[in-house]
Amino acid sequence: MRKAQLRPTAENTYRVFYTESGEGIPCDFGQALARSQDQEKEGDIEGACNTRFVAFQQLMDLIPDSTDTELDWDDANSRDAMLVLSFSAIDHFLIGDFEMCAAMLEMLLELDPEDHLDASKRLAYAYVALEEYDSFDEVINDVSDKYADKELLALWSEFRRTGKIPAGELRRFKKSFAVYYDEFTADDHPVDETYLKDIEALTPARETLARELWLQTEHLWKLFPEFIEALRTA
């Protein structure tokens, strides 16, 4: 297997470089990413998750502890490494391992301060689940107002802290993201032919995007069902 090294750039970032011999970490992040995608297509979800986690561990070995290391997003090898890390964080998010998910996303934000992969958004969900509200209050400012997630997170974090749905945030959610409110308070969220066809479109309908967000966060509401119940009755 090829060995990975870090090489500095003139912009004070680093790039992942591969060599066939010499020093380095035996790994190939691009190959790991492609293999995990093939495993998913074959239905081997556990294998795909394991492939990504091994690559994450190799990335940890590659990144030095002593200095701040920002990877060059425009470099394909470095981008592959960050994508593998992001996908592995999502794997842990979906199984409810929020501590590992948060640690991975914090690492990703150190490697990619411009947050090309929206790590801040997923990290905010993990912080609320962990009841780490000081950390949540810091990261939520980095989540764009254009995302329905920001209003949803404001509602959920306040409910987790106080046991109540805040009226002001609820009004904003209903006004600015009405289709998301309808989706999150609905009884059913079918993954039917209409949804599957529209989600692959160049510009999916807002209703479709609302359902996608529900499906991406559904495991949270199974773990914390009282929030959805409160949202329906607020």
Side-chain angles (χ1 to χ4, degrees), residues 75-136:
D75 173 60
N77 294 336
S78 304
R79 192 164 58 248
D80 286 341
M82 290 185 279
L83 283 167
V84 167
L85 173 55
S86 178
F87 290 147
S88 190
I90 292 172
D91 293 337
H92 286 81
F93 179 70
L94 292 174
I95 64 171
D97 188 351
F98 300 114
E99 289 189 8
M100 179 60 77
C101 171
M104 288 177 160
L105 293 174
E106 288 166 353
M107 177 181 176
L108 179 56
L109 285 170
E110 290 177 359
L111 299 178
D112 178 30
E114 294 186 17
D115 197 10
H116 293 88
L117 297 172
D118 285 333
S120 297
K121 185 169 57 175
R122 294 190 296 276
L123 184 56
Y125 282 107
Y127 281 150
V128 177
L130 293 167
E131 298 183 285
E132 294 185 9
Y133 298 124
D134 288 342
S135 297
F136 169 80

Side-chain angles (χ1 to χ4, degrees), residues 2-233:
R2 296 194 297 176
K3 294 183 178 180
Q5 302 174 349
L6 287 183
R7 290 190 174 180
T9 72
E11 289 74 31
N12 294 320
T13 61
Y14 290 83
R15 290 184 172 184
V16 175
F17 174 81
Y18 294 111
T19 179
E20 300 296 337
S21 60
E23 297 182 355
I25 304 299
C27 65
D28 187 316
F29 299 112
Q31 286 185 4
L33 184 62
R35 184 184 173 206
S36 70
Q37 292 170 336
D38 289 340
Q39 288 171 311
E40 285 187 344
K41 292 176 183 177
E42 296 165 0
D44 185 7
I45 303 302
E46 182 178 357
C49 293
N50 289 337
T51 296
R52 289 188 284 262
F53 186 68
V54 169
F56 155 69
Q57 293 175 311
Q58 293 167 334
L59 181 59
M60 285 191 66
D61 291 338
L62 182 64
I63 302 299
D65 296 328
S66 56
T67 59
D68 293 334
T69 305
E70 179 181 346
L71 295 183
D72 182 1
W73 176 258
D74 293 326
D75 173 60
N77 294 336
S78 304
R79 192 164 58 248
D80 286 341
M82 290 185 279
L83 283 167
V84 167
L85 173 55
S86 178
F87 290 147
S88 190
I90 292 172
D91 293 337
H92 286 81
F93 179 70
L94 292 174
I95 64 171
D97 188 351
F98 300 114
E99 289 189 8
M100 179 60 77
C101 171
M104 288 177 160
L105 293 174
E106 288 166 353
M107 177 181 176
L108 179 56
L109 285 170
E110 290 177 359
L111 299 178
D112 178 30
E114 294 186 17
D115 197 10
H116 293 88
L117 297 172
D118 285 333
S120 297
K121 185 169 57 175
R122 294 190 296 276
L123 184 56
Y125 282 107
Y127 281 150
V128 177
L130 293 167
E131 298 183 285
E132 294 185 9
Y133 298 124
D134 288 342
S135 297
F136 169 80
D137 290 339
E138 292 180 7
V139 78
I140 193 61
N141 293 323
D142 296 325
V143 178
S144 172
D145 292 337
K146 71 180 181 180
Y147 292 127
D149 302 75
K150 189 160 189 175
E151 291 296 339
L152 185 65
L153 281 160
L155 288 164
W156 186 37
S157 64
E158 190 63 21
F159 179 78
R160 289 276 282 162
R161 296 187 219 212
T162 68
K164 298 179 181 179
I165 297 290
E169 281 81 355
L170 181 59
R171 283 194 296 271
R172 283 195 294 273
F173 190 47
K174 286 182 176 181
K175 180 179 179 180
S176 301
F177 300 99
V179 295
Y180 287 84
Y181 172 80
D182 291 342
E183 182 67 36
F184 274 71
T185 55
D187 292 329
D188 299 308
H189 314 273
V191 183
D192 52 21
E193 184 177 349
T194 301
Y195 169 80
L196 292 173
K197 182 179 180 180
D198 195 48
I199 198 63
E200 297 296 330
L202 185 60
T203 54
R206 282 175 61 83
E207 290 80 2
T208 301
L209 294 175
R211 182 154 304 168
E212 181 185 43
L213 180 56
W214 167 271
L215 295 171
Q216 290 172 342
T217 58
E218 184 177 13
H219 66 293
L220 289 174
W221 319 130
K222 290 180 178 179
L223 291 170
F224 307 103
E226 60 277 1
F227 169 65
I228 298 301
E229 290 302 318
L231 195 62
R232 287 172 176 159
T233 58

